[in-house]
């Protein structure tokens, strides 16, 4: 199943990415960075999760991977201040990026 199909299914609430991805390792938090120089070495495909402040980016990551609490969430806008790297498997990394703007 293609990543776009998985994302559409998650948006409809009919599936989670974990049902379609075979993991040889459990998804895990790798590192939080404040500057590009601190970024971990690329390890396969990287997907950046970006959007407005308080739009549910961190919640999406935890829900998509069916791992509640993997990405910390808050009701307060702007809680994610750094780029947070999550290793999904040996070939894929998701990066939870800080939001832009202030959602009202």
């Amino acid at each position: 199943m293609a990543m776009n199909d998985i994302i559409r299914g998650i948006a409809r609430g009919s599936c989670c990415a974990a049902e379609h991805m075979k993991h040889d390792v459990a998804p895990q938090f790798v590192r939080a960075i404040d500057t590009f120089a601190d970024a971990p070495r690329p390890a396969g495909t990287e997907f950046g999760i970006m959007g407005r402040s308080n739009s549910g980016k961190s919640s999406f990551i935890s829900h998509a991977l069916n791992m509640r609490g993997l990405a910390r969430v808050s009701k307060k806008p702007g809680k994610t201040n750094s780029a947070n790297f999550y290793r999904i498997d040996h070939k894929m990394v998701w990066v939870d990026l800080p939001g832009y703007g202030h959602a009202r």
Side-chain angles (χ1 to χ4, degrees):
M1 180 175 275
M3 184 60 94
N4 287 341
D5 294 330
I6 294 170
I7 292 171
R8 275 191 226 106
I10 293 166
R12 287 191 312 266
S14 62
C15 75
C16 70
E19 295 171 6
H20 302 286
M21 290 194 242
K22 301 284 190 244
H23 301 295
D24 45 350
V25 295
Q28 62 183 344
F29 174 78
V30 176
R31 183 185 302 172
I33 66 163
D34 294 319
T35 64
F36 185 74
D38 297 331
R41 296 187 79 155
T45 305
E46 291 183 354
F47 292 94
I49 311 299
M50 57 188 271
R52 289 187 62 91
S53 181
N54 207 34
S55 63
K57 298 174 297 294
S58 299
S59 295
F60 166 78
I61 290 172
S62 292
H63 178 76
L65 298 173
N66 200 25
M67 294 186 70
R68 186 178 186 150
L70 176 64
R72 292 185 167 203
V73 298
S74 173
K75 292 184 181 188
K76 181 179 176 184
K79 189 67 174 174
T80 303
N81 294 318
S82 55
N84 298 308
F85 287 73
Y86 298 91
R87 182 169 313 290
I88 307 308
D89 58 24
H90 294 296
K91 300 175 190 168
M92 188 183 324
V93 173
W94 286 5
V95 185
D96 186 9
L97 298 167
Y100 57 87
H102 180 66
R104 296 182 195 263

